[in-house]
Amino acid sequence: IANLMTRRIIKITEKITLMSDGVLDETLEISGNDEIAKMAEAFNVMAEKLASIENQRIQFVSDASHELKTPLSSIKLMSDSILQNPDIPKEQIHEFLCDINNEADRLNRIVNKLLNITKIDTQLEKVESNSFSFNSGCSIKLYLISSKLFSSSPPKSNIDT
């Protein structure tokens, strides 16, 4: 019996080591109804939640990158148009500069939202470590809140991007 218990603990330890190295899709086969089986079940629940949070993090970074790239592309297109066209009418230059200014403001709003999300996340981590333990639903809810920050439709530019 001791050898069986030791093998099961070694398996759990191996999976924990893999997870600490970034392999988040590891699970354990659960056999029995003892404390080690309960530990393996808890490990599997934790692994599932970590994988879900990692997928949400990847999606968030992708969404944030896209939100930053769009105004940068507009700014690049309009500034290139001004620089490459020496005979561009003054009115069009003014229009492009207004659009560039609007896109810069949009970038500033996006960056401020990202900074606010970081502040909220940091404050939640402090509360979590000082007072009580949040369940993983809080991370998911924070992600959903941050997703909504980026879901509002961006201001229209006079230039198609």
Side-chain angles (χ1 to χ4, degrees):
I1 290 178
N3 195 18
L4 175 64
M5 296 268 265
T6 303
R7 274 187 278 153
R8 291 167 70 202
I9 291 171
I10 289 171
K11 281 241 187 248
I12 291 172
T13 304
E14 288 170 351
K15 297 290 185 172
I16 290 171
T17 302
L18 284 171
M19 187 175 279
S20 70
D21 290 338
V23 181
L24 300 179
D25 59 349
E26 290 293 318
T27 58
L28 290 162
E29 290 184 31
I30 301 170
S31 60
N33 203 15
D34 59 359
E35 294 301 317
I36 294 177
K38 289 178 184 175
M39 188 185 322
E41 187 176 330
F43 175 88
N44 288 344
V45 169
M46 178 184 66
E48 184 179 313
K49 289 179 180 180
L50 284 173
S52 175
I53 289 169
E54 177 62 9
N55 288 336
Q56 291 172 1
R57 184 193 67 78
I58 290 168
Q59 183 63 48
F60 176 79
V61 170
S62 174
D63 292 347
S65 297
H66 176 74
E67 287 294 322
L68 292 168
K69 186 177 180 180
T70 302
L72 284 172
S73 295
S74 294
I75 290 170
K76 178 73 173 143
L77 176 68
M78 289 180 279
S79 61
D80 282 349
S81 295
I82 293 170
L83 292 172
Q84 293 175 5
N85 198 350
D87 298 329
I88 191 168
K90 187 175 181 179
E91 297 80 28
Q92 195 171 13
I93 292 174
H94 184 265
E95 182 180 329
F96 282 3
L97 289 174
C98 287
D99 288 343
I100 289 170
N101 188 52
N102 289 337
E103 293 298 329
D105 288 343
R106 181 175 166 201
L107 278 171
N108 194 35
R109 286 190 304 274
I110 292 168
V111 169
N112 285 335
K113 287 177 184 180
L114 288 171
L115 291 172
N116 285 335
I117 290 168
T118 303
K119 283 182 195 175
I120 290 169
D121 195 36
T122 302
Q123 290 169 354
L124 286 176
E125 286 175 8
K126 286 180 185 175
V127 168
E128 182 179 40
S129 65
N130 291 335
S131 303
F132 54 92
S133 178
F134 280 132
N135 65 21
S136 66
C138 290
S139 297
I140 294 167
K141 288 175 187 170
L142 181 59
Y143 170 77
L144 293 173
I145 290 168
S146 63
S147 296
K148 288 181 182 182
L149 289 173
F150 294 110
S151 68
S152 61
S153 52
K156 296 283 183 195
S157 171
N158 291 337
I159 300 294
D160 293 330
T161 57

mmCIF file of all heavy atoms in Angstrom, residues 107-138:
data_model
loop_
_atom_site.group_PDB
_atom_site.id
_atom_site.type_symbol
_atom_site.label_atom_id
_atom_site.label_comp_id
_atom_site.label_asym_id
_atom_site.label_seq_id
_atom_site.Cartn_x
_atom_site.Cartn_y
_atom_site.Cartn_z
ATOM 1 N N LEU A 107 -5.714 56.512 -29.070
ATOM 2 C CA LEU A 107 -4.627 55.708 -28.496
ATOM 3 C C LEU A 107 -4.442 56.011 -27.015
ATOM 4 O O LEU A 107 -4.251 55.102 -26.200
ATOM 5 C CB LEU A 107 -3.311 55.982 -29.237
ATOM 6 C CG LEU A 107 -3.088 55.250 -30.541
ATOM 7 C CD1 LEU A 107 -1.845 55.795 -31.236
ATOM 8 C CD2 LEU A 107 -2.966 53.761 -30.318
ATOM 9 N N ASN A 108 -4.504 57.283 -26.676
ATOM 10 C CA ASN A 108 -4.355 57.692 -25.282
ATOM 11 C C ASN A 108 -5.463 57.076 -24.418
ATOM 12 O O ASN A 108 -5.196 56.591 -23.316
ATOM 13 C CB ASN A 108 -4.359 59.221 -25.186
ATOM 14 C CG ASN A 108 -3.887 59.710 -23.848
ATOM 15 O OD1 ASN A 108 -3.008 59.108 -23.227
ATOM 16 N ND2 ASN A 108 -4.478 60.799 -23.380
ATOM 17 N N ARG A 109 -6.702 57.085 -24.913
ATOM 18 C CA ARG A 109 -7.816 56.489 -24.160
ATOM 19 C C ARG A 109 -7.603 54.983 -23.971
ATOM 20 O O ARG A 109 -7.825 54.455 -22.881
ATOM 21 C CB ARG A 109 -9.150 56.752 -24.865
ATOM 22 C CG ARG A 109 -9.656 58.176 -24.735
ATOM 23 C CD ARG A 109 -11.106 58.321 -25.232
ATOM 24 N NE ARG A 109 -11.297 57.879 -26.612
ATOM 25 C CZ ARG A 109 -11.103 58.629 -27.681
ATOM 26 N NH1 ARG A 109 -10.708 59.891 -27.553
ATOM 27 N NH2 ARG A 109 -11.316 58.139 -28.893
ATOM 28 N N ILE A 110 -7.153 54.315 -25.015
ATOM 29 C CA ILE A 110 -6.917 52.873 -24.929
ATOM 30 C C ILE A 110 -5.825 52.569 -23.897
ATOM 31 O O ILE A 110 -5.973 51.680 -23.053
ATOM 32 C CB ILE A 110 -6.549 52.291 -26.307
ATOM 33 C CG1 ILE A 110 -7.749 52.362 -27.253
ATOM 34 C CG2 ILE A 110 -6.052 50.852 -26.179
ATOM 35 C CD1 ILE A 110 -7.404 52.069 -28.714
ATOM 36 N N VAL A 111 -4.732 53.315 -23.962
ATOM 37 C CA VAL A 111 -3.630 53.102 -23.016
ATOM 38 C C VAL A 111 -4.097 53.379 -21.590
ATOM 39 O O VAL A 111 -3.784 52.620 -20.661
ATOM 40 C CB VAL A 111 -2.404 53.960 -23.394
ATOM 41 C CG1 VAL A 111 -1.366 53.966 -22.287
ATOM 42 C CG2 VAL A 111 -1.798 53.465 -24.704
ATOM 43 N N ASN A 112 -4.890 54.423 -21.390
ATOM 44 C CA ASN A 112 -5.414 54.715 -20.057
ATOM 45 C C ASN A 112 -6.309 53.596 -19.548
ATOM 46 O O ASN A 112 -6.265 53.240 -18.366
ATOM 47 C CB ASN A 112 -6.160 56.053 -20.048
ATOM 48 C CG ASN A 112 -5.211 57.226 -20.076
ATOM 49 O OD1 ASN A 112 -4.056 57.129 -19.663
ATOM 50 N ND2 ASN A 112 -5.685 58.351 -20.586
ATOM 51 N N LYS A 113 -7.130 53.032 -20.433
ATOM 52 C CA LYS A 113 -7.977 51.904 -20.035
ATOM 53 C C LYS A 113 -7.124 50.707 -19.627
ATOM 54 O O LYS A 113 -7.401 50.044 -18.628
ATOM 55 C CB LYS A 113 -8.922 51.512 -21.171
ATOM 56 C CG LYS A 113 -10.045 52.498 -21.388
ATOM 57 C CD LYS A 113 -10.901 52.090 -22.573
ATOM 58 C CE LYS A 113 -11.971 53.119 -22.864
ATOM 59 N NZ LYS A 113 -12.801 52.725 -24.023
ATOM 60 N N LEU A 114 -6.065 50.438 -20.403
ATOM 61 C CA LEU A 114 -5.168 49.330 -20.054
ATOM 62 C C LEU A 114 -4.492 49.569 -18.707
ATOM 63 O O LEU A 114 -4.360 48.654 -17.893
ATOM 64 C CB LEU A 114 -4.114 49.134 -21.148
ATOM 65 C CG LEU A 114 -4.619 48.541 -22.458
ATOM 66 C CD1 LEU A 114 -3.530 48.614 -23.524
ATOM 67 C CD2 LEU A 114 -5.089 47.116 -22.274
ATOM 68 N N LEU A 115 -4.068 50.798 -18.464
ATOM 69 C CA LEU A 115 -3.451 51.126 -17.177
ATOM 70 C C LEU A 115 -4.447 50.970 -16.033
ATOM 71 O O LEU A 115 -4.095 50.475 -14.956
ATOM 72 C CB LEU A 115 -2.868 52.538 -17.209
ATOM 73 C CG LEU A 115 -1.643 52.731 -18.098
ATOM 74 C CD1 LEU A 115 -1.281 54.208 -18.196
ATOM 75 C CD2 LEU A 115 -0.469 51.917 -17.585
ATOM 76 N N ASN A 116 -5.697 51.370 -16.272
ATOM 77 C CA ASN A 116 -6.733 51.207 -15.246
ATOM 78 C C ASN A 116 -6.990 49.740 -14.950
ATOM 79 O O ASN A 116 -7.175 49.359 -13.791
ATOM 80 C CB ASN A 116 -8.033 51.902 -15.663
ATOM 81 C CG ASN A 116 -7.948 53.403 -15.522
ATOM 82 O OD1 ASN A 116 -7.166 53.923 -14.735
ATOM 83 N ND2 ASN A 116 -8.743 54.111 -16.306
ATOM 84 N N ILE A 117 -6.999 48.917 -15.984
ATOM 85 C CA ILE A 117 -7.181 47.482 -15.774
ATOM 86 C C ILE A 117 -6.048 46.932 -14.920
ATOM 87 O O ILE A 117 -6.262 46.142 -14.012
ATOM 88 C CB ILE A 117 -7.268 46.747 -17.131
ATOM 89 C CG1 ILE A 117 -8.573 47.093 -17.828
ATOM 90 C CG2 ILE A 117 -7.150 45.238 -16.938
ATOM 91 C CD1 ILE A 117 -8.624 46.643 -19.278
ATOM 92 N N THR A 118 -4.822 47.363 -15.209
ATOM 93 C CA THR A 118 -3.672 46.916 -14.433
ATOM 94 C C THR A 118 -3.798 47.347 -12.978
ATOM 95 O O THR A 118 -3.517 46.573 -12.067
ATOM 96 C CB THR A 118 -2.369 47.470 -15.050
ATOM 97 O OG1 THR A 118 -2.298 47.052 -16.409
ATOM 98 C CG2 THR A 118 -1.152 46.990 -14.295
ATOM 99 N N LYS A 119 -4.244 48.596 -12.750
ATOM 100 C CA LYS A 119 -4.430 49.082 -11.380
ATOM 101 C C LYS A 119 -5.479 48.264 -10.657
ATOM 102 O O LYS A 119 -5.289 47.869 -9.504
ATOM 103 C CB LYS A 119 -4.858 50.556 -11.381
ATOM 104 C CG LYS A 119 -3.759 51.529 -11.634
ATOM 105 C CD LYS A 119 -4.311 52.950 -11.547
ATOM 106 C CE LYS A 119 -3.370 53.953 -12.147
ATOM 107 N NZ LYS A 119 -3.934 55.302 -12.166
ATOM 108 N N ILE A 120 -6.604 47.997 -11.334
ATOM 109 C CA ILE A 120 -7.671 47.210 -10.719
ATOM 110 C C ILE A 120 -7.157 45.818 -10.375
ATOM 111 O O ILE A 120 -7.380 45.312 -9.280
ATOM 112 C CB ILE A 120 -8.897 47.118 -11.663
ATOM 113 C CG1 ILE A 120 -9.580 48.481 -11.768
ATOM 114 C CG2 ILE A 120 -9.889 46.059 -11.186
ATOM 115 C CD1 ILE A 120 -10.625 48.552 -12.871
ATOM 116 N N ASP A 121 -6.440 45.207 -11.316
ATOM 117 C CA ASP A 121 -5.905 43.871 -11.104
ATOM 118 C C ASP A 121 -4.936 43.857 -9.926
ATOM 119 O O ASP A 121 -4.980 42.970 -9.085
ATOM 120 C CB ASP A 121 -5.225 43.384 -12.380
ATOM 121 C CG ASP A 121 -4.952 41.892 -12.371
ATOM 122 O OD1 ASP A 121 -5.782 41.147 -11.820
ATOM 123 O OD2 ASP A 121 -3.913 41.478 -12.919
ATOM 124 N N THR A 122 -4.070 44.861 -9.847
ATOM 125 C CA THR A 122 -3.111 44.960 -8.749
ATOM 126 C C THR A 122 -3.828 45.139 -7.415
ATOM 127 O O THR A 122 -3.476 44.513 -6.417
ATOM 128 C CB THR A 122 -2.132 46.136 -8.985
ATOM 129 O OG1 THR A 122 -1.476 45.923 -10.233
ATOM 130 C CG2 THR A 122 -1.110 46.242 -7.878
ATOM 131 N N GLN A 123 -4.862 45.980 -7.406
ATOM 132 C CA GLN A 123 -5.626 46.187 -6.178
ATOM 133 C C GLN A 123 -6.349 44.914 -5.754
ATOM 134 O O GLN A 123 -6.391 44.586 -4.575
ATOM 135 C CB GLN A 123 -6.617 47.334 -6.351
ATOM 136 C CG GLN A 123 -5.929 48.683 -6.440
ATOM 137 C CD GLN A 123 -6.869 49.804 -6.870
ATOM 138 O OE1 GLN A 123 -8.016 49.578 -7.220
ATOM 139 N NE2 GLN A 123 -6.365 51.032 -6.860
ATOM 140 N N LEU A 124 -6.893 44.161 -6.712
ATOM 141 C CA LEU A 124 -7.555 42.899 -6.386
ATOM 142 C C LEU A 124 -6.563 41.893 -5.826
ATOM 143 O O LEU A 124 -6.877 41.170 -4.883
ATOM 144 C CB LEU A 124 -8.250 42.319 -7.618
ATOM 145 C CG LEU A 124 -9.533 43.004 -8.053
ATOM 146 C CD1 LEU A 124 -10.054 42.375 -9.348
ATOM 147 C CD2 LEU A 124 -10.591 42.920 -6.973
ATOM 148 N N GLU A 125 -5.349 41.866 -6.393
ATOM 149 C CA GLU A 125 -4.327 40.953 -5.888
ATOM 150 C C GLU A 125 -3.968 41.306 -4.447
ATOM 151 O O GLU A 125 -3.778 40.425 -3.609
ATOM 152 C CB GLU A 125 -3.080 40.993 -6.765
ATOM 153 C CG GLU A 125 -3.253 40.286 -8.086
ATOM 154 C CD GLU A 125 -2.055 40.433 -9.002
ATOM 155 O OE1 GLU A 125 -1.006 40.963 -8.548
ATOM 156 O OE2 GLU A 125 -2.159 40.033 -10.167
ATOM 157 N N LYS A 126 -3.879 42.615 -4.126
ATOM 158 C CA LYS A 126 -3.566 43.027 -2.763
ATOM 159 C C LYS A 126 -4.679 42.609 -1.812
ATOM 160 O O LYS A 126 -4.430 42.086 -0.735
ATOM 161 C CB LYS A 126 -3.358 44.542 -2.691
ATOM 162 C CG LYS A 126 -2.052 45.003 -3.270
ATOM 163 C CD LYS A 126 -1.914 46.514 -3.171
ATOM 164 C CE LYS A 126 -0.666 46.996 -3.859
ATOM 165 N NZ LYS A 126 -0.572 48.456 -3.867
ATOM 166 N N VAL A 127 -5.920 42.825 -2.224
ATOM 167 C CA VAL A 127 -7.056 42.431 -1.389
ATOM 168 C C VAL A 127 -7.054 40.926 -1.207
ATOM 169 O O VAL A 127 -7.238 40.422 -0.106
ATOM 170 C CB VAL A 127 -8.394 42.902 -2.026
ATOM 171 C CG1 VAL A 127 -9.582 42.265 -1.337
ATOM 172 C CG2 VAL A 127 -8.498 44.413 -1.978
ATOM 173 N N GLU A 128 -6.793 40.212 -2.285
ATOM 174 C CA GLU A 128 -6.796 38.758 -2.249
ATOM 175 C C GLU A 128 -5.732 38.232 -1.286
ATOM 176 O O GLU A 128 -5.993 37.367 -0.474
ATOM 177 C CB GLU A 128 -6.564 38.201 -3.642
ATOM 178 C CG GLU A 128 -6.600 36.694 -3.708
ATOM 179 C CD GLU A 128 -6.379 36.190 -5.115
ATOM 180 O OE1 GLU A 128 -5.538 36.757 -5.833
ATOM 181 O OE2 GLU A 128 -7.050 35.238 -5.497
ATOM 182 N N SER A 129 -4.535 38.797 -1.351
ATOM 183 C CA SER A 129 -3.461 38.279 -0.505
ATOM 184 C C SER A 129 -3.565 38.768 0.936
ATOM 185 O O SER A 129 -3.100 38.100 1.841
ATOM 186 C CB SER A 129 -2.097 38.658 -1.093
ATOM 187 O OG SER A 129 -1.926 40.061 -1.062
ATOM 188 N N ASN A 130 -4.207 39.907 1.155
ATOM 189 C CA ASN A 130 -4.284 40.447 2.507
ATOM 190 C C ASN A 130 -5.522 40.010 3.285
ATOM 191 O O ASN A 130 -5.469 39.879 4.493
ATOM 192 C CB ASN A 130 -4.256 41.977 2.474
ATOM 193 C CG ASN A 130 -2.909 42.506 2.055
ATOM 194 O OD1 ASN A 130 -1.902 41.840 2.219
ATOM 195 N ND2 ASN A 130 -2.888 43.694 1.490
ATOM 196 N N SER A 131 -6.641 39.788 2.605
ATOM 197 C CA SER A 131 -7.883 39.576 3.313
ATOM 198 C C SER A 131 -8.433 38.167 3.184
ATOM 199 O O SER A 131 -8.659 37.495 4.167
ATOM 200 C CB SER A 131 -8.951 40.558 2.820
ATOM 201 O OG SER A 131 -8.501 41.879 2.973
ATOM 202 N N PHE A 132 -8.657 37.744 1.987
ATOM 203 C CA PHE A 132 -9.318 36.470 1.757
ATOM 204 C C PHE A 132 -8.983 35.976 0.367
ATOM 205 O O PHE A 132 -8.362 36.679 -0.408
ATOM 206 C CB PHE A 132 -10.841 36.609 1.911
ATOM 207 C CG PHE A 132 -11.421 37.696 1.055
ATOM 208 C CD1 PHE A 132 -11.886 37.417 -0.213
ATOM 209 C CD2 PHE A 132 -11.498 39.007 1.522
ATOM 210 C CE1 PHE A 132 -12.412 38.417 -1.009
ATOM 211 C CE2 PHE A 132 -12.029 40.009 0.726
ATOM 212 C CZ PHE A 132 -12.485 39.716 -0.538
ATOM 213 N N SER A 133 -9.408 34.795 0.079
ATOM 214 C CA SER A 133 -9.095 34.195 -1.216
ATOM 215 C C SER A 133 -10.282 34.319 -2.159
ATOM 216 O O SER A 133 -11.378 33.897 -1.838
ATOM 217 C CB SER A 133 -8.750 32.720 -1.009
ATOM 218 O OG SER A 133 -8.487 32.127 -2.240
ATOM 219 N N PHE A 134 -10.051 34.935 -3.319
ATOM 220 C CA PHE A 134 -11.077 35.001 -4.362
ATOM 221 C C PHE A 134 -11.153 33.654 -5.053
ATOM 222 O O PHE A 134 -10.169 32.950 -5.168
ATOM 223 C CB PHE A 134 -10.699 36.036 -5.426
ATOM 224 C CG PHE A 134 -10.991 37.444 -5.042
ATOM 225 C CD1 PHE A 134 -10.024 38.414 -5.215
ATOM 226 C CD2 PHE A 134 -12.215 37.801 -4.535
ATOM 227 C CE1 PHE A 134 -10.287 39.718 -4.895
ATOM 228 C CE2 PHE A 134 -12.487 39.104 -4.218
ATOM 229 C CZ PHE A 134 -11.520 40.059 -4.391
ATOM 230 N N ASN A 135 -12.308 33.348 -5.590
ATOM 231 C CA ASN A 135 -12.357 32.179 -6.467
ATOM 232 C C ASN A 135 -11.936 32.612 -7.865
ATOM 233 O O ASN A 135 -11.807 33.790 -8.144
ATOM 234 C CB ASN A 135 -13.742 31.517 -6.458
ATOM 235 C CG ASN A 135 -14.816 32.417 -7.035
ATOM 236 O OD1 ASN A 135 -14.537 33.343 -7.775
ATOM 237 N ND2 ASN A 135 -16.050 32.145 -6.687
ATOM 238 N N SER A 136 -11.729 31.661 -8.738
ATOM 239 C CA SER A 136 -11.226 32.014 -10.069
ATOM 240 C C SER A 136 -12.235 32.810 -10.865
ATOM 241 O O SER A 136 -11.891 33.415 -11.869
ATOM 242 C CB SER A 136 -10.841 30.746 -10.828
ATOM 243 O OG SER A 136 -12.005 29.982 -11.075
ATOM 244 N N GLY A 137 -13.484 32.842 -10.445
ATOM 245 C CA GLY A 137 -14.499 33.621 -11.138
ATOM 246 C C GLY A 137 -14.156 35.102 -11.175
ATOM 247 O O GLY A 137 -14.548 35.804 -12.099
ATOM 248 N N CYS A 138 -13.422 35.580 -10.191
ATOM 249 C CA CYS A 138 -13.053 37.003 -10.164
ATOM 250 C C CYS A 138 -12.148 37.346 -11.343
ATOM 251 O O CYS A 138 -12.307 38.393 -11.953
ATOM 252 C CB CYS A 138 -12.365 37.363 -8.856
ATOM 253 S SG CYS A 138 -13.492 37.322 -7.467
#
